[in-house]
Amino acid sequence: GWGSTYQGHPVALAVAYENIKYLLQNNVVGRVKGMAPLFEACMQQLANDHPCIKQYRSIGMFGCFDVQEMNGKNPKLQHEAAHEAFLKYKEAYLKQGLVGLHRYPHIHCAPPLNIKEEELIDGFQRLDRALYVLDEALGFETEDRPKAA
């Protein structure tokens, strides 16, 4: 067969070995299992609170929101340029001190797996404030809501 220098290279194997050792020694999988219900609850809460969120899905501590327009359709397809509403949202997201992957019309949530419970809650509270901007930018009613970030 054909191969490259990375296949079975001792350095790559050493890195993989150290990574697996860290995961096992620090019970990362167990921590994720323990934090997953809180993560799921936070995802559900944001989906319930923000009309711009059509649905969400999550597994462990990785999740994704699907954004919708007022008519229930996607505000953009993957190959299209970002809608102005997403640019306003991204600005608010960054102002909240968040860092993440933006592939509109999807909003990904993937915190570090060693995050503490209070940090996870704080991150979702920051995302909540940024999502109010997206709600407003897409034209959703924002009465009785906190002022957008």
Side-chain angles (χ1 to χ4, degrees), residues 1-13:
W2 182 84
S4 292
T5 57
Y6 66 86
Q7 285 187 324
H9 193 282
V11 173
L13 293 175

Side-chain angles (χ1 to χ4, degrees), residues 121-132:
I121 292 168
D122 177 63
F124 274 108
Q125 289 171 341
R126 291 168 185 247
L127 180 56
D128 182 46
R129 291 189 291 269
L131 284 172
Y132 281 115

Side-chain angles (χ1 to χ4, degrees), residues 77-126:
L77 299 175
Q78 292 290 337
H79 65 280
E80 296 173 341
H83 189 290
E84 184 180 326
F86 289 119
L87 300 178
K88 289 179 180 180
Y89 160 75
K90 186 174 181 182
E91 183 180 335
Y93 182 89
L94 295 172
K95 278 184 182 177
Q96 289 298 322
L98 298 170
V99 177
L101 174 64
H102 298 275
R103 291 187 63 223
Y104 310 118
H106 309 293
I107 297 173
H108 297 271
C109 296
L113 299 181
N114 63 349
I115 195 168
K116 293 179 176 76
E117 187 173 312
E118 56 274 3
E119 294 169 327
L120 183 67
I121 292 168
D122 177 63
F124 274 108
Q125 289 171 341
R126 291 168 185 247

Side-chain angles (χ1 to χ4, degrees), residues 6-72:
Y6 66 86
Q7 285 187 324
H9 193 282
V11 173
L13 293 175
V15 170
Y17 176 72
E18 290 301 318
N19 194 16
I20 291 168
K21 253 181 28 180
Y22 179 87
L23 292 171
L24 293 172
Q25 289 171 350
N26 293 283
N27 191 27
V28 173
V29 174
R31 286 195 78 254
V32 168
K33 278 183 163 181
M35 295 278 281
L38 174 61
F39 184 88
E40 171 81 17
C42 290
M43 293 285 290
Q44 179 69 55
Q45 187 66 50
L46 290 185
N48 291 343
D49 290 350
H50 294 279
C52 71
I53 303 300
K54 184 175 190 171
Q55 61 190 13
Y56 78 96
R57 58 204 162 278
S58 68
I59 185 167
M61 287 191 15
F62 179 77
C64 181
F65 294 106
D66 295 329
V67 177
Q68 66 180 345
E69 291 182 323
M70 289 179 62
N71 62 9

